[in-house]
Amino acid sequence: MALAINVSSSSSSVISSSSFPSSELKAPLIGSLRLLDRTNVSAASLRLSGKRSSVKALNVQSITKDHMMASGKFLVLILVCFVLLKSLFMFYANDLVLGYKTEKLDVVEVEDFEELAKRLENASPLEIMDKALETYGNDIAIAFSGAEDVALIEYAHLTGRPYRVFSLDTGRLNPETYRLFDTVEKHYGIRIEYMFPDAVEVQALVRNKGLFSFYEDGHQECCRIRKVRPLRRALKGLRAWITGQRKDQSPGTRSEIPVVQVDPVFEGLDGGAGSLVKWNPVANVEGNDVWNFLRTMDVPVNTLHAAGYVSIGCEPCTRAVLPGQHEREGRWWWEDAKAKECGLHKGNIKENTNGNATANVNGKSTVADIFNSENVVNLSRQGIENLMKLENRKEAWIVVLYAPWCPFCQAMEASFDELADKLVGNGVKVAKFRADGDQKDFAKSELQLGSFPTILVFPKNSSRPIKYPSEKRDVDSLTSFLNLVR
């Protein structure tokens, strides 16, 4: 609000520009607050019309008095403006401080993923995928291995949302897998984000141990270099990732995976434990249903599937499975069932108090024993050592080296118990020896243990046991082998 003062020409020389600042004085507006005119000027001296008016000449005393009164009023006005400006400054300063504090004190509500998993337990893969993409946007990506994971890409495509896909190129994949990568990119109009292992690390491994060291000392070291570390780099740029894990893929390590969980192994963009979320949209879907979906949607798949390959990884560590075998038996077939994770989903495996892997993730430390038929002899360490020392046995023996947590041992339990019942009185003893834990090293060095289960036949007239070479563990196959070597 401008303060306009009309004075006579005779007084203009006294109240001049040199008496006040050159800039026009204005009262600031703060919201709806306006500076009210605090002066007490008579109507004869104050004209809002802006026209000059003529007044009678004033004597010096009158002029001096008027000058002092005007000066006092302007001083009051300046003082009021100063107070208001100070108040205005403090108001905005406090607002900035409060805003800063408010921003710093904001508490981000953490999602209860166990509760979310329960809510989505009966949801369809499409619904779970949509929820994941909606929640994380560009900070989530699909892990594509070149096998049934193509179903994940199809689900993401059906949501209509943008999505990212990454894959680990280990340098040891099958040619058919590389061709599938190219086909999938063209089919969906996407670019897969490939992650590669560190060349120096791969070079050191191959130079020191050769190209196939994993057959001798296990696959973990090779997988750590070619898969786990590249995956770790990929996930450090994300807040969540999507996998194709299913409960029926591996009874030993994946039987209890939820549809969504805090990743127990890897870190995400923010770093630290709990900074990465893992989504498993097909966790509750059976393998046959996944394949029905793939056929219905007519999406490209790996041609190795038609050759009997179900679970597909690196070429040296993957093979076709026989009819009736579990799909994971085609991966790292020379190792224990508990080792059939490359490290990407290591959090699925738990160790019990005896140092043995359990077939669940619920913290249980004991596993129920198997092969409990009354016709199966339970051999102790001393018992099997005595059996090995006998050179002229009265009866042949067939012994399974097992671990009760092993899903492949569990899968053959019924047939082995049936075999024991069938051989009663036929000159063959059927026995079991638990070869995990403290007995594992002994079983490897003395009993030819490679992976669980291992089946040995002790003939009548031989001190050395004969290892059953086939993975067909049905009653007829075992009986035929016994008839040949007993």
Side-chain angles (χ1 to χ4, degrees):
M1 173 180 177
L3 182 63
I5 301 179
N6 291 327
V7 297
S8 65
S9 58
S10 59
S11 62
S12 61
S13 61
V14 179
I15 308 175
S16 64
S17 61
S18 61
S19 303
F20 305 99
S22 59
S23 59
E24 184 182 4
L25 292 176
K26 295 184 179 181
L29 297 178
I30 306 174
S32 61
L33 175 64
R34 295 188 305 170
L35 179 65
L36 299 178
D37 186 3
R38 300 291 296 276
T39 59
N40 204 3
V41 184
S42 64
S45 302
L46 183 60
R47 295 289 184 270
L48 297 178
S49 63
K51 296 181 179 180
R52 298 171 61 92
S53 62
S54 300
V55 297
K56 294 181 179 181
L58 301 176
N59 56 31
V60 176
Q61 182 179 1
S62 174
I63 293 174
T64 302
K65 183 178 180 180
D66 291 341
H67 171 72
M68 292 177 65
M69 291 178 63
S71 298
K73 292 174 181 178
F74 274 98
L75 288 174
V76 172
L77 177 62
I78 292 172
L79 181 61
V80 171
C81 290
F82 175 79
V83 173
L84 288 172
L85 287 172
K86 182 178 179 182
S87 299
L88 180 64
F89 173 79
M90 294 301 296
F91 175 84
Y92 281 107
N94 288 336
D95 184 66
L96 289 173
V97 172
L98 288 174
Y100 174 79
K101 289 181 178 179
T102 301
E103 182 180 356
K104 290 296 183 181
L105 293 176
D106 278 347
V107 177
V108 179
E109 184 177 351
V110 178
E111 181 78 63
D112 185 342
F113 291 104
E114 289 187 6
E115 180 61 31
L116 180 61
K118 292 179 181 178
R119 294 202 306 268
L120 295 175
E121 181 69 19
N122 297 317
S124 67
L126 181 60
E127 182 180 353
I128 297 169
M129 177 67 74
D130 186 70
K131 177 67 174 177
L133 297 178
E134 177 190 23
T135 303
Y136 291 95
N138 198 49
D139 290 334
I140 190 171
I142 298 169
F144 179 49
S145 68
E148 313 102 307
D149 293 338
V150 69
L152 299 176
I153 300 178
E154 180 66 16
Y155 282 123
H157 177 74
L158 291 174
T159 67
R161 300 182 184 277
Y163 60 92
R164 296 170 59 188
V165 180
F166 75 92
S167 188
L168 307 176
D169 184 353
T170 65
R172 304 295 294 268
L173 302 178
N174 291 279
E176 293 86 349
T177 300
Y178 288 114
R179 284 195 286 271
L180 175 65
F181 286 158
D182 181 67
T183 303
V184 166
E185 286 187 326
K186 293 176 180 177
H187 182 83
Y188 291 100
I190 62 175
R191 278 289 176 261
I192 298 173
E193 302 170 29
Y194 296 102
M195 300 300 297
F196 300 92
D198 183 87
V200 175
E201 290 184 330
V202 173
Q203 178 177 284
L205 173 65
V206 174
R207 283 184 175 179
N208 292 332
K209 294 189 173 183
L211 288 168
F212 300 97
S213 60
F214 37 83
Y215 288 142
E216 299 175 2
D217 57 11
H219 73 275
Q220 297 297 333
E221 183 179 17
C222 184
C223 283
R224 183 167 58 251
I225 292 174
R226 294 181 181 271
K227 299 179 72 173
V228 177
R229 288 177 181 168
L231 175 67
R232 193 179 300 279
R233 294 199 306 270
L235 297 179
K236 283 294 289 183
L238 301 171
R239 287 189 167 86
W241 63 311
I242 302 170
T243 84
Q245 290 189 104
R246 302 192 320 273
K247 291 179 179 178
D248 69 340
Q249 281 176 328
S250 179
T253 61
R254 301 186 179 184
S255 61
E256 296 186 18
I257 56 172
V259 296
V260 59
Q261 62 186 139
V262 175
D263 196 297
V265 177
F266 296 99
E267 296 182 2
L269 187 62
D270 298 329
S275 59
L276 185 71
V277 179
K278 181 191 290 188
W279 291 75
N280 308 303
V282 294
N284 298 322
V285 181
E286 294 185 358
N288 290 337
D289 292 332
V290 171
W291 274 101
N292 287 335
F293 174 74
L294 294 174
R295 295 187 188 99
T296 300
M297 303 308 295
D298 194 26
V299 301
V301 296
N302 199 319
T303 56
L304 286 173
H305 290 304
Y309 290 75
V310 182
S311 179
I312 302 174
C314 293
E315 187 276 332
C317 305
T318 305
R319 67 179 183 180
V321 295
L322 300 171
Q325 282 187 304
H326 193 276
E327 63 183 79
R328 295 294 282 186
E329 291 195 65
R331 301 287 294 276
W332 309 294
W333 59 90
W334 65 93
E335 293 186 355
D336 297 349
K338 72 177 183 181
K340 292 184 183 290
E341 291 287 357
C342 59
L344 306 190
H345 306 295
K346 187 178 179 181
N348 295 339
I349 302 175
K350 299 293 182 181
E351 297 290 328
N352 65 23
T353 55
N354 295 321
N356 303 319
T358 62
N360 54 62
V361 293
N362 60 7
K364 293 181 180 178
S365 60
T366 59
V367 185
D369 201 9
I370 55 178
F371 305 118
N372 294 316
S373 170
E374 60 182 10
N375 295 315
V376 176
V377 178
N378 187 10
L379 292 175
S380 64
R381 167 74 174 267
Q382 187 63 51
I384 199 165
E385 287 181 340
N386 291 338
L387 180 61
M388 293 171 61
K389 294 175 182 177
L390 293 176
E391 294 184 0
N392 295 308
R393 304 178 186 89
K394 295 180 180 181
E395 296 175 302
W397 287 69
I398 180 170
V399 181
V400 58
L401 310 181
Y402 76 103
W405 45 262
C406 169
F408 308 115
C409 298
Q410 296 167 5
M412 68 164 287
E413 180 182 15
S415 60
F416 198 73
D417 286 347
E418 182 181 345
L419 177 69
D421 298 339
K422 178 180 178 180
L423 293 176
V424 172
N426 288 326
V428 179
K429 289 288 187 181
V430 180
K432 65 178 183 178
F433 174 67
R434 181 166 178 172
D436 63 342
D438 296 338
Q439 306 302 328
K440 188 172 181 181
D441 290 339
F442 162 74
K444 281 187 171 182
S445 62
E446 303 296 331
L447 298 172
Q448 308 175 56
L449 175 67
S451 61
F452 293 115
T454 292
I455 301 173
L456 302 176
V457 175
F458 292 82
K460 285 185 178 182
N461 301 315
S462 174
S463 59
R464 181 174 176 80
I466 300 172
K467 185 176 180 178
Y468 178 63
S470 175
E471 293 186 4
K472 292 184 177 181
R473 303 178 185 121
D474 58 279
V475 175
D476 292 339
S477 298
L478 292 172
T479 301
S480 297
F481 182 73
L482 271 172
N483 291 335
L484 292 171
V485 301
R486 58 186 274 186

